[in-house]
Each structure stands twice: as C-alpha cells, then as structure tokens.
Amino acid sequence: MGASGISIDSAGIIKPNSGHFHLLIDAGDSTDIGVAVPKDSTHLHFGNAQKEASLKLAPGKHRIALQFADGVHRSYGSKLASAIDINVKK
C-alpha cells in the first residue's frame, strides 16, 4: 500500500494532509467522504501506518478496495480509494 502527496501516519491524531489505510473486502469501492470507515471483518484498519498486509480469503471472486482515511478513520472518499477484483483459487 502506498500514497503520494499525502503523509501516512498512525490513527488517533488528526493531522492535515495525512491518514492511514483501510481495506474493504467485498464491501464496495469506497466509503463516502467524511464518513468513518466501519471496523468489522470486511473493513480492516491499518491505524499503525502499516503499508503491507496478508489476507486469507475463501476461494472465489472478491473485490478488494484500498481506502485512505484521516486520523479518526473519516474517509477521504473515492478520490483516495482504489479497488480491484481477484479470484482466489483453492
């Protein structure tokens, strides 16, 4: 995971032009701007400024979206999100 033109920081403090990553697994392409990204099994938070992760997904088709959000998990919207389709084989 990476970003340019914006700082990758830990969650908890709101700093201008910064934030951290979230993965949305089969949960849409992005979270609406200003809305906090939920925290559940389909919305993974990387609030320690992580830039990589490993996922274990069930076999089949999945849509994975990378969403950037501010220090209190408020989404920057679709402009700072990207999604891909994958097919996990057995």
Side-chain angles (χ1 to χ4, degrees):
M1 299 178 275
S4 59
I6 195 162
S7 296
I8 300 168
D9 283 313
S10 297
I13 298 172
I14 298 175
K15 296 179 186 176
N17 201 36
S18 72
H20 60 280
F21 295 106
H22 300 80
L23 283 180
L24 286 58
I25 303 168
D26 299 323
D29 289 352
S30 68
T31 302
D32 290 339
I33 192 167
V35 174
V37 177
K39 188 171 186 180
D40 56 32
S41 62
T42 62
H43 297 84
L44 306 181
H45 290 239
F46 297 94
N48 291 322
Q50 301 99 308
K51 296 179 185 175
E52 60 183 58
S54 295
L55 298 176
K56 290 187 179 185
L57 299 171
K61 295 181 180 182
H62 297 279
R63 186 146 180 96
I64 308 295
L66 182 64
Q67 175 71 67
F68 206 71
D70 71 11
V72 292
H73 310 283
R74 291 180 302 202
S75 172
Y76 283 111
S78 62
K79 289 184 179 181
L80 288 179
S82 184
I84 61 169
D85 292 311
I86 62 169
N87 187 18
V88 177
K89 297 181 180 182
K90 287 185 178 183

